[in-house]
Amino acid sequence: MSDDLKIRLNQIMKPGESYEDVIAMLLEEHQEEESLCEGWASRAKEAIEEFQRGETLTEAEIMRKYGIT
């Protein structure tokens, strides 16, 4: 492991944590972010398809629908 990488890991390491603990935490965060991004990408694709099918409402239509003035 390079000295630079050790320095960076030490910066985020909490007292009592090992390098393995920190690396495991970083991998878990990465996996969560990846899952979240996949979910958003899927929803964005659905939204584009809805728009292309004309299944959208304008801001004015939404305001009328929910009685917002």
Side-chain angles (χ1 to χ4, degrees):
M1 184 181 325
S2 71
D3 289 337
D4 183 51
L5 185 54
K6 286 180 184 179
I7 290 168
R8 292 174 67 191
L9 289 172
N10 285 329
Q11 290 173 341
I12 59 174
M13 190 179 287
K14 295 176 184 163
E17 285 185 326
S18 66
Y19 289 122
E20 185 173 344
D21 294 333
V22 174
I23 292 169
M25 182 260 312
L26 291 170
L27 289 171
E28 186 175 311
E29 286 179 4
H30 174 74
Q31 187 175 12
E32 289 173 5
E33 287 177 14
E34 209 169 71
S35 296
L36 180 61
C37 289
E38 287 173 6
W40 279 105
S42 174
R43 180 57 192 122
K45 183 179 177 185
E46 289 175 21
I48 290 168
E49 291 169 356
E50 290 170 1
F51 174 77
Q52 290 172 336
R53 290 190 304 263
E55 298 174 358
T56 58
L57 298 172
T58 65
E59 182 180 353
E61 290 169 329
I62 292 169
M63 292 178 77
R64 274 195 304 276
K65 181 177 179 176
Y66 293 101
I68 301 169
T69 54

